[in-house]
Amino acid sequence: MQYFVVMIDYGRRGREAIVDPEITRREVISRISSGEYANISFIHEIADRAVEDVTEEILAEAALPEITASETDLASRFDHAHDLRKHETA
């Protein structure tokens, strides 16, 4: 049997351990990416009586892709061109 323990820290309100044998690694990653799981203290993978800390691995897999400066510049140029067309006089 394999399952994950996701410890979420709510600050002064305490902590919550989410343990569900039905949740797969892919589902944990999906929930982190969507923002459903936030303020994670740790993630442990439990398999065959062994516990492994997989926090860094899973957080790295769930990380959103970084937007480079050139991609940001492309978006701003598009917005500027759109604004110019919007304010053109006919």
Side-chain angles (χ1 to χ4, degrees):
M1 177 174 218
Q2 174 186 11
Y3 59 95
F4 294 89
V5 176
V6 180
M7 181 66 73
I8 299 177
D9 187 356
Y10 294 112
R12 291 199 292 175
R13 296 184 327 173
R15 287 184 251 161
E16 174 185 18
I18 299 172
V19 182
D20 185 350
E22 300 293 320
I23 296 177
T24 63
R25 181 184 185 100
R26 179 177 288 168
E27 182 66 21
V28 171
I29 292 168
S30 173
R31 290 180 183 193
I32 294 169
S33 296
S34 72
E36 184 176 342
Y37 291 169
N39 300 324
I40 296 170
S41 293
F42 62 80
I43 303 169
H44 288 168
E45 179 180 13
I46 301 172
D48 299 324
R49 298 183 192 155
V51 178
E52 182 181 355
D53 186 350
V54 293
T55 308
E56 295 299 321
E57 299 170 29
I58 290 183
L59 290 178
E61 289 180 48
L64 297 174
E66 293 184 23
I67 299 174
T68 63
S70 62
E71 292 172 349
T72 305
D73 187 43
L74 179 63
S76 66
R77 283 188 288 172
F78 175 78
D79 288 344
H80 181 68
H82 180 263
D83 288 341
L84 290 175
R85 283 193 306 274
K86 185 170 64 172
H87 295 292
E88 283 181 352
T89 57

